[in-house]
Amino acid sequence: MSGYIVVPDKDLDAVLHALPEHIRLTRAECGNMTFRVQQSTDTPQRFDVYEEFIDKSSFEFHQRRVKDSFWGKVTADVSRHYDIVIATE
């Protein structure tokens, strides 16, 4: 999956505070192969996201975990713009 999120100004400090733990937890997930989040230098509210999981079920687990996490609460109002590609064998 690749894309970006746009964080409302009111949530930017909370997102920046929560991001390191979100990255740590995601990278520790079984099935996570790559996870990168980079804040834009031109537009601080924009964060580019790239992640790969070993299979669809690992990605679905990640989505469920994030939804119920502190990160999910902090980012409830962000605008998400993702392209999700599921590889087939």
Side-chain angles (χ1 to χ4, degrees):
M1 182 197 79
S2 63
Y4 63 95
I5 62 173
V6 178
V7 178
D9 287 334
K10 68 178 180 62
D11 297 330
L12 189 56
D13 287 342
V15 166
L16 287 169
H17 178 74
L19 183 57
E21 181 69 358
H22 173 58
I23 292 171
R24 186 189 72 74
L25 290 171
T26 299
R27 288 180 177 168
E29 289 176 9
C30 182
N32 177 262
M33 297 174 18
T34 302
F35 185 68
R36 294 189 305 263
V37 180
Q38 180 69 45
Q39 185 178 21
S40 170
T41 55
D42 298 328
T43 309
Q45 297 82 5
R46 179 185 165 128
F47 293 78
D48 295 315
V49 180
Y50 181 80
E51 58 189 8
E52 291 181 25
F53 290 85
I54 198 163
D55 56 23
K56 183 178 177 182
S57 64
S58 296
F59 177 69
E60 289 171 348
F61 170 83
H62 168 71
Q63 293 297 304
R64 287 189 306 273
R65 183 194 65 78
V66 168
K67 183 179 178 183
D68 295 329
S69 72
F70 180 68
W71 177 257
K73 291 171 183 49
V74 168
T75 61
D77 293 332
V78 306
S79 172
R80 292 171 168 80
H81 307 270
Y82 295 135
D83 291 319
I84 299 172
V85 177
I86 299 176
T88 57
E89 296 182 57

